[in-house]
Amino acid sequence: MYLFDTHCHLDDPRLFEQLDEVLARADAAGVKKIASIGCARSLDGIRSALEIAHAHPDRVVATIGTHPHDAEHYDDAIEAEIRAIAEDPKIVAIGELGLDFYYDNSPREQQKEVMRRQIAIARELKLPIIVHTRSAAAETLEILREENARDVGGIIHCFSEDRDFAKEALELGFVASFSGIVTFKNAQAIQEAAIHQPLDALLVETDAPYLAPVPFRGKTNEPAYVAHTAAKIAELRGVDVEEILERSWENAHRVFGLS
Ligand SMILES: [Zn+2]
Ligand SMILES: [Zn+2]
Protein backbone atom coordinates (compact mmCIF):
# COMPACT_ATOMS: atom_id res chain seq x y z
CA MET A 1 0.00 0.00 0.00
CA TYR A 2 1.56 3.23 -1.16
CA LEU A 3 1.22 6.97 -0.70
CA PHE A 4 1.18 9.81 -3.22
CA ASP A 5 2.27 13.19 -1.84
CA THR A 6 0.27 15.35 -4.26
CA HIS A 7 1.87 18.65 -3.31
CA CYS A 8 5.34 19.54 -2.14
CA HIS A 9 8.16 21.86 -3.09
CA LEU A 10 11.19 19.64 -3.66
CA ASP A 11 13.05 22.55 -5.27
CA ASP A 12 12.94 24.53 -2.03
CA PRO A 13 16.53 24.69 -0.73
CA ARG A 14 15.51 23.09 2.58
CA LEU A 15 14.59 19.91 0.67
CA PHE A 16 16.74 20.23 -2.43
CA GLU A 17 19.99 20.44 -0.47
CA GLN A 18 19.32 16.96 0.93
CA LEU A 19 17.17 15.61 -1.89
CA ASP A 20 18.62 12.07 -1.96
CA GLU A 21 18.00 11.63 1.76
CA VAL A 22 14.52 13.18 1.51
CA LEU A 23 13.57 10.78 -1.31
CA ALA A 24 15.08 7.80 0.53
CA ARG A 25 13.08 8.60 3.67
CA ALA A 26 9.92 9.02 1.56
CA ASP A 27 10.54 5.65 -0.05
CA ALA A 28 11.03 3.98 3.34
CA ALA A 29 7.72 5.49 4.52
CA GLY A 30 5.87 4.08 1.48
CA VAL A 31 5.61 7.41 -0.34
CA LYS A 32 6.25 6.11 -3.83
CA LYS A 33 5.06 9.12 -5.82
CA ILE A 34 5.46 12.85 -5.34
CA ALA A 35 4.18 15.87 -7.25
CA SER A 36 6.73 18.66 -7.07
CA ILE A 37 5.12 22.05 -7.57
CA GLY A 38 6.89 24.37 -9.99
CA CYS A 39 6.52 28.01 -8.97
CA ALA A 40 6.97 30.38 -11.90
CA ARG A 41 8.03 33.60 -10.17
CA SER A 42 10.74 34.64 -12.60
CA LEU A 43 12.38 33.13 -15.67
CA ASP A 44 15.33 32.24 -13.48
CA GLY A 45 14.87 28.77 -11.98
CA ILE A 46 11.47 28.31 -13.59
CA ARG A 47 12.31 24.74 -14.64
CA SER A 48 13.64 23.53 -11.29
CA ALA A 49 10.68 21.31 -10.36
CA LEU A 50 10.60 19.82 -13.85
CA GLU A 51 14.33 19.08 -13.69
CA ILE A 52 13.80 17.12 -10.45
CA ALA A 53 11.02 15.12 -12.13
CA HIS A 54 13.36 14.29 -15.01
CA ALA A 55 16.11 13.24 -12.63
CA HIS A 56 13.70 10.89 -10.77
CA PRO A 57 11.25 9.80 -13.47
CA ASP A 58 9.78 6.84 -11.57
CA ARG A 59 9.02 8.79 -8.43
CA VAL A 60 8.43 12.44 -9.22
CA VAL A 61 6.06 14.35 -11.49
CA ALA A 62 5.91 18.13 -11.69
CA THR A 63 3.58 21.06 -12.21
CA ILE A 64 4.13 24.62 -13.36
CA GLY A 65 2.30 27.83 -12.53
CA THR A 66 2.47 31.19 -10.81
CA HIS A 67 1.49 31.29 -7.12
CA PRO A 68 -0.84 34.14 -6.10
CA HIS A 69 1.99 35.55 -3.95
CA ASP A 70 3.96 36.10 -7.17
CA ALA A 71 1.11 37.39 -9.34
CA GLU A 72 2.70 40.83 -9.60
CA HIS A 73 5.70 39.29 -11.39
CA TYR A 74 3.58 37.52 -14.01
CA ASP A 75 4.04 38.82 -17.52
CA ASP A 76 3.86 37.65 -21.13
CA ALA A 77 7.35 36.15 -20.99
CA ILE A 78 6.55 34.04 -17.94
CA GLU A 79 3.25 33.00 -19.46
CA ALA A 80 4.99 31.87 -22.64
CA GLU A 81 7.48 29.86 -20.59
CA ILE A 82 4.70 28.22 -18.52
CA ARG A 83 3.07 27.20 -21.79
CA ALA A 84 6.34 25.78 -23.15
CA ILE A 85 7.18 23.88 -19.95
CA ALA A 86 3.65 22.48 -19.73
CA GLU A 87 4.17 20.63 -23.00
CA ASP A 88 6.62 18.33 -21.23
CA PRO A 89 5.06 14.91 -20.49
CA LYS A 90 6.27 15.04 -16.87
CA ILE A 91 4.03 18.07 -16.23
CA VAL A 92 0.73 16.81 -14.82
CA ALA A 93 -1.02 20.06 -13.85
CA ILE A 94 -0.98 23.85 -14.06
CA GLY A 95 -0.43 25.53 -10.68
CA GLU A 96 -0.33 26.23 -7.99
CA LEU A 97 -2.47 29.21 -8.91
CA GLY A 98 -5.25 31.03 -7.12
CA LEU A 99 -5.93 33.74 -4.57
CA ASP A 100 -4.31 34.53 -1.24
CA PHE A 101 -6.07 37.47 0.45
CA TYR A 102 -4.53 36.56 3.81
CA TYR A 103 -1.00 37.61 2.96
CA ASP A 104 -1.91 39.91 0.04
CA ASN A 105 1.66 39.65 -1.28
CA SER A 106 0.39 40.76 -4.70
CA PRO A 107 -2.47 43.19 -5.42
CA ARG A 108 -5.81 41.36 -5.40
CA GLU A 109 -6.85 42.45 -8.90
CA GLN A 110 -3.58 41.11 -10.26
CA GLN A 111 -4.06 37.82 -8.41
CA LYS A 112 -7.48 37.41 -10.02
CA GLU A 113 -6.21 38.27 -13.49
CA VAL A 114 -3.27 35.84 -13.23
CA MET A 115 -5.55 33.10 -11.96
CA ARG A 116 -7.86 33.61 -14.94
CA ARG A 117 -5.00 33.62 -17.46
CA GLN A 118 -3.59 30.37 -16.11
CA ILE A 119 -6.98 28.63 -16.15
CA ALA A 120 -7.13 29.56 -19.82
CA ILE A 121 -3.74 27.89 -20.42
CA ALA A 122 -4.87 24.76 -18.56
CA ARG A 123 -8.05 24.53 -20.62
CA GLU A 124 -6.12 24.99 -23.82
CA LEU A 125 -3.61 22.26 -22.88
CA LYS A 126 -6.24 20.07 -21.21
CA LEU A 127 -4.38 19.86 -17.91
CA PRO A 128 -5.98 19.94 -14.44
CA ILE A 129 -5.22 22.88 -12.15
CA ILE A 130 -3.94 23.03 -8.59
CA VAL A 131 -5.70 25.77 -6.66
CA HIS A 132 -4.27 27.66 -3.68
CA THR A 133 -6.95 29.64 -1.85
CA ARG A 134 -6.69 31.49 1.43
CA SER A 135 -9.18 34.02 2.85
CA ALA A 136 -10.73 34.24 -0.61
CA ALA A 137 -13.23 31.37 -0.72
CA ALA A 138 -16.11 33.12 -2.52
CA GLU A 139 -13.85 34.85 -5.04
CA THR A 140 -12.03 31.59 -5.81
CA LEU A 141 -15.27 29.71 -6.52
CA GLU A 142 -16.55 32.61 -8.61
CA ILE A 143 -13.49 32.62 -10.86
CA LEU A 144 -13.49 28.81 -11.20
CA ARG A 145 -17.10 29.06 -12.29
CA GLU A 146 -16.68 32.02 -14.66
CA GLU A 147 -13.61 30.57 -16.35
CA ASN A 148 -15.21 27.14 -16.86
CA ALA A 149 -12.48 25.46 -14.85
CA ARG A 150 -14.79 22.45 -14.65
CA ASP A 151 -13.61 21.52 -18.15
CA VAL A 152 -10.26 20.47 -16.67
CA GLY A 153 -11.03 20.14 -12.94
CA GLY A 154 -8.27 19.64 -10.43
CA ILE A 155 -7.33 20.01 -6.79
CA ILE A 156 -8.04 22.42 -3.96
CA HIS A 157 -4.65 22.01 -2.35
CA CYS A 158 -3.83 22.31 1.37
CA PHE A 159 -7.56 22.25 1.97
CA SER A 160 -8.32 24.77 4.72
CA GLU A 161 -11.93 25.70 4.11
CA ASP A 162 -15.09 24.03 5.44
CA ARG A 163 -17.44 21.28 4.40
CA ASP A 164 -19.70 23.58 2.36
CA PHE A 165 -16.76 24.86 0.35
CA ALA A 166 -15.62 21.29 -0.30
CA LYS A 167 -19.05 20.44 -1.64
CA GLU A 168 -19.22 23.46 -3.93
CA ALA A 169 -15.70 22.83 -5.19
CA LEU A 170 -16.54 19.21 -5.92
CA GLU A 171 -19.54 20.29 -7.97
CA LEU A 172 -17.07 22.31 -10.04
CA GLY A 173 -14.83 19.26 -10.53
CA PHE A 174 -12.34 19.91 -7.73
CA VAL A 175 -11.20 17.32 -5.21
CA ALA A 176 -9.75 18.24 -1.81
CA SER A 177 -6.15 17.57 -0.88
CA PHE A 178 -5.61 17.53 2.89
CA SER A 179 -2.31 18.57 4.44
CA GLY A 180 -0.80 18.32 7.92
CA ILE A 181 -3.23 21.03 9.06
CA VAL A 182 -5.84 18.29 9.50
CA THR A 183 -3.72 16.91 12.37
CA PHE A 184 -3.77 20.24 14.27
CA LYS A 185 -6.01 20.41 17.34
CA ASN A 186 -7.71 23.69 16.38
CA ALA A 187 -8.63 22.55 12.84
CA GLN A 188 -12.18 21.37 13.55
CA ALA A 189 -13.81 22.75 10.38
CA ILE A 190 -11.12 21.15 8.21
CA GLN A 191 -11.40 17.87 10.12
CA GLU A 192 -15.14 17.91 9.58
CA ALA A 193 -14.59 18.44 5.86
CA ALA A 194 -12.15 15.50 5.84
CA ILE A 195 -14.74 13.28 7.54
CA HIS A 196 -17.45 14.09 5.01
CA GLN A 197 -15.41 14.31 1.81
CA PRO A 198 -16.40 11.51 -0.61
CA LEU A 199 -13.66 8.88 -0.69
CA ASP A 200 -13.23 9.22 -4.44
CA ALA A 201 -12.47 12.94 -4.07
CA LEU A 202 -9.86 12.94 -1.32
CA LEU A 203 -6.10 13.36 -1.61
CA VAL A 204 -3.24 13.83 0.84
CA GLU A 205 -0.21 16.10 0.60
CA THR A 206 2.52 17.62 2.71
CA ASP A 207 3.06 21.06 1.12
CA ALA A 208 6.61 20.44 2.33
CA PRO A 209 8.78 22.12 3.50
CA TYR A 210 5.83 23.95 5.14
CA LEU A 211 3.16 22.74 7.55
CA ALA A 212 4.60 19.59 9.10
CA PRO A 213 1.90 17.40 10.66
CA VAL A 214 1.77 16.48 14.32
CA PRO A 215 4.13 15.14 15.79
CA PHE A 216 6.58 17.14 13.67
CA ARG A 217 4.73 20.47 13.84
CA GLY A 218 7.13 23.40 13.54
CA LYS A 219 9.90 21.32 11.92
CA THR A 220 10.83 21.22 8.24
CA ASN A 221 8.18 19.10 6.57
CA GLU A 222 9.04 16.43 3.99
CA PRO A 223 7.12 13.91 1.86
CA ALA A 224 7.73 10.99 4.27
CA TYR A 225 5.44 12.69 6.79
CA VAL A 226 2.34 12.49 4.57
CA ALA A 227 1.62 9.12 6.21
CA HIS A 228 0.70 10.96 9.43
CA THR A 229 -1.93 13.00 7.59
CA ALA A 230 -3.45 9.87 6.04
CA ALA A 231 -3.48 8.15 9.45
CA LYS A 232 -5.25 11.12 11.03
CA ILE A 233 -7.95 11.13 8.33
CA ALA A 234 -8.49 7.39 8.85
CA GLU A 235 -8.79 7.94 12.60
CA LEU A 236 -11.29 10.80 12.12
CA ARG A 237 -13.40 8.71 9.76
CA GLY A 238 -13.12 5.54 11.83
CA VAL A 239 -11.77 3.46 8.95
CA ASP A 240 -8.59 1.45 8.37
CA VAL A 241 -5.71 3.56 7.13
CA GLU A 242 -5.33 1.11 4.23
CA GLU A 243 -8.61 2.37 2.84
CA ILE A 244 -7.42 5.98 2.86
CA LEU A 245 -4.09 4.98 1.31
CA GLU A 246 -5.66 2.96 -1.45
CA ARG A 247 -8.32 5.50 -2.39
CA SER A 248 -6.07 8.57 -2.24
CA TRP A 249 -3.44 6.75 -4.34
CA GLU A 250 -6.04 5.89 -7.00
CA ASN A 251 -7.54 9.39 -6.90
CA ALA A 252 -4.16 11.06 -7.40
CA HIS A 253 -3.46 8.93 -10.46
CA ARG A 254 -6.88 9.71 -11.91
CA VAL A 255 -6.66 13.48 -11.32
CA PHE A 256 -3.14 13.72 -12.78
CA GLY A 257 -3.99 11.41 -15.69
CA LEU A 258 -1.35 8.85 -14.71
CA SER A 259 -1.69 5.11 -15.21
ZN1 LIG B 1 -0.29 26.75 -1.69
ZN1 LIG C 1 2.55 24.80 -2.29
Side-chain angles (χ1 to χ4, degrees):
M1 212 73 72
Y2 301 135
L3 281 147
F4 199 134
D5 181 359
T6 63
H7 191 113
C8 74
H9 298 268
L10 290 179
D11 60 348
D12 184 286
R14 283 168 281 178
L15 299 177
F16 189 71
E17 280 163 11
Q18 41 158 343
L19 189 59
D20 289 340
E21 291 90 335
V22 164
L23 290 176
R25 288 194 290 266
D27 195 52
V31 184
K32 300 294 178 185
K33 287 194 181 165
I34 299 169
S36 192
I37 305 304
C39 286
R41 57 173 71 87
S42 73
L43 292 177
D44 192 36
I46 195 169
R47 288 177 179 265
S48 56
L50 180 59
E51 283 162 4
I52 294 170
H54 278 295
H56 304 275
D58 301 333
R59 310 270 315 275
V60 182
V61 293
T63 75
I64 188 69
T66 295
H67 193 288
H69 289 343
D70 302 314
E72 64 182 338
H73 304 299
Y74 191 93
D75 58 16
D76 290 343
I78 286 182
E79 181 169 286
E81 194 61 9
I82 289 174
R83 223 177 266 274
I85 290 170
E87 300 281 356
D88 190 289
K90 291 303 281 181
I91 296 289
V92 295
I94 300 294
E96 56 188 297
L97 56 86
L99 305 175
D100 194 315
F101 294 174
Y102 181 81
Y103 285 109
D104 280 328
N105 285 353
S106 284
R108 293 184 177 183
E109 284 314 307
Q110 240 167 324
Q111 292 188 40
K112 290 182 181 177
E113 170 69 14
V114 169
M115 180 178 179
R116 290 182 195 277
R117 284 173 69 168
Q118 293 185 92
I119 293 172
I121 298 173
R123 293 181 66 231
E124 201 183 301
L125 300 177
K126 297 188 167 49
L127 285 169
I129 62 175
I130 294 179
V131 178
H132 171 111
T133 179
R134 187 146 185 216
S135 303
E139 294 88 343
T140 296
L141 291 171
E142 184 181 291
I143 291 178
L144 292 177
R145 214 169 274 125
E146 286 176 5
E147 299 299 325
N148 295 310
R150 190 200 305 266
D151 291 350
V152 289
I155 299 169
I156 306 295
H157 110 84
C158 193
F159 189 87
S160 42
E161 299 296 331
D162 60 12
R163 196 177 156 185
D164 291 337
F165 182 97
K167 195 160 172 264
E168 281 191 65
L170 189 55
E171 281 163 12
L172 291 170
F174 287 82
V175 305
S177 183
F178 292 91
S179 70
I181 295 179
V182 83
T183 68
F184 298 173
K185 264 207 182 77
N186 57 356
Q188 279 105 348
I190 300 167
Q191 292 177 346
E192 202 198 327
I195 289 168
H196 293 280
Q197 184 71 0
L199 269 183
D200 62 356
L202 181 151
L203 303 174
V204 289
E205 66 171 66
T206 56
D207 205 7
Y210 314 100
L211 291 170
V214 173
F216 306 106
R217 193 170 180 181
K219 301 210 171 104
T220 298
N221 198 5
E222 60 177 71
Y225 298 166
V226 77
H228 294 268
T229 296
K232 181 67 183 186
I233 294 172
E235 180 199 317
L236 289 166
R237 295 179 72 116
V239 300
D240 290 337
V241 70
E242 284 75 19
E243 187 170 7
I244 301 300
L245 301 187
E246 190 176 351
R247 301 301 292 275
S248 60
W249 173 263
E250 282 170 13
N251 296 339
H253 282 76
R254 185 187 73 244
V255 172
F256 289 140
L258 301 167
S259 52

